[in-house]
Amino acid sequence: MQQLLWMFTYIKRHLESKLVFDPFTHDWSHYQFLQHDWSEFYPGAMEPMPSNAQEARGRAVQINMFCDAAHANDHVTRRSTTGFIIFLQGTPILWYSKRQNTIESSTFGSEFVALKIATEVMEGLRYRLRMMGIPISGVTNTFCDNNSVVTNVTDPTSTLTKKHNAIAYHKVRETVAAGIQRIAHEAGKYNLSDILTKNLPVIKHKSCCASILH
């Protein structure tokens, strides 16, 4: 209840806030996006394309996604919270914050579940944009602040020791193999999706909001 009161207090104090509209493409060349040959592990992996899509018109849009999980932050059930935010160019168009349906025993597991959910939503967005005739510029740029998860989904030779995370593991890796998304590590203090999973210190909260609201 206290958190709910904080939310409405924040809204009351920022009635004039609006979503940032940034039409420019972002340069992510300073991030380490690894490139590998996945054909041995996921042969024939490819992105599903709508057969009856509208003719693509206009400038292609860049899709960027930030994903995070707060491990076991529900003090009653110890379920984790998934949070992610998707940008077209630099404009936030879709965000998600929800308690996970399963109890994960590690941060690694909760982050993998969050990334799988984010991946499925992102795939659906790419499909709908193409249905409307909106061209997409390359792969989705995805950022996650868990190094172990990033390593597992970007290195074909990495192995999963936790079998119960296998579905999330293979789902995300297959989208990387299919060229749907590429994933890089983003330090937690810069991860914009942090605002959707946990209470943040004032300075970081304001920093995240500055990229989403003005």
Side-chain angles (χ1 to χ4, degrees):
M1 180 59 73
Q2 185 63 45
Q3 293 180 359
L4 191 63
L5 290 174
W6 286 342
M7 289 170 57
F8 280 99
T9 301
Y10 181 85
I11 294 173
K12 183 178 179 180
R13 292 176 179 175
H14 297 81
L15 293 177
E16 301 301 320
S17 294
K18 299 177 182 179
L19 285 177
V20 169
F21 184 80
D22 179 3
F24 299 105
T25 299
H26 286 241
D27 178 16
W28 305 114
S29 59
H30 55 290
Y31 282 84
Q32 188 177 7
F33 290 103
L34 302 179
Q35 300 291 328
H36 294 287
D37 180 9
W38 292 84
S39 58
E40 179 184 348
F41 301 90
Y42 300 96
M46 58 187 302
E47 183 174 7
M49 298 290 185
S51 59
N52 57 340
Q54 298 291 320
E55 180 185 352
R57 296 177 180 274
R59 188 177 68 175
V61 296
Q62 180 189 62
I63 303 178
N64 307 304
M65 179 168 72
F66 293 83
C67 180
D68 186 39
H71 180 243
N73 67 332
D74 186 321
H75 292 180
V76 177
T77 64
R78 285 304 173 184
R79 292 183 179 181
S80 305
T81 300
T82 293
F84 60 85
I85 182 167
I86 301 177
F87 293 79
L88 282 191
Q89 307 293 77
T91 304
I93 64 161
L94 195 157
W95 49 91
Y96 179 104
S97 179
K98 188 176 180 181
R99 186 175 62 186
Q100 295 179 2
N101 293 329
T102 56
I103 300 174
E104 296 298 328
S105 59
S106 66
T107 300
F108 176 86
S110 63
E111 293 275 0
F112 238 128
V113 169
L115 189 54
K116 179 185 79 73
I117 295 171
T119 293
E120 292 173 337
V121 172
M122 177 272 297
E123 280 188 294
L125 174 63
R126 289 174 66 92
Y127 193 91
R128 291 194 298 273
L129 289 174
R130 287 197 170 98
M131 285 291 293
M132 294 186 290
I134 300 174
I136 298 173
S137 175
V139 301
T140 296
N141 303 296
T142 301
F143 303 93
C144 173
D145 59 15
N146 187 289
N147 264 317
S148 296
V149 171
V150 173
T151 298
N152 271 266
V153 298
T154 57
D155 184 359
T157 62
S158 68
T159 57
L160 182 70
T161 57
K162 299 185 177 183
K163 300 297 184 182
H164 68 286
N165 292 133
I167 293 177
Y169 170 83
H170 287 292
K171 173 60 182 177
V172 177
R173 281 165 61 94
E174 188 176 50
T175 61
V176 174
I180 297 172
Q181 67 175 332
R182 58 179 185 171
I183 302 173
H185 178 260
E186 172 73 294
K189 62 181 180 180
Y190 300 121
N191 191 343
L192 297 179
S193 58
D194 255 11
I195 199 171
L196 300 172
T197 60
K198 57 184 75 74
N199 292 326
L200 300 176
V202 174
I203 294 177
K204 184 175 181 182
H205 184 274
K206 289 184 177 180
S207 174
C208 288
C209 285
S211 298
I212 301 170
L213 301 171
H214 65 76

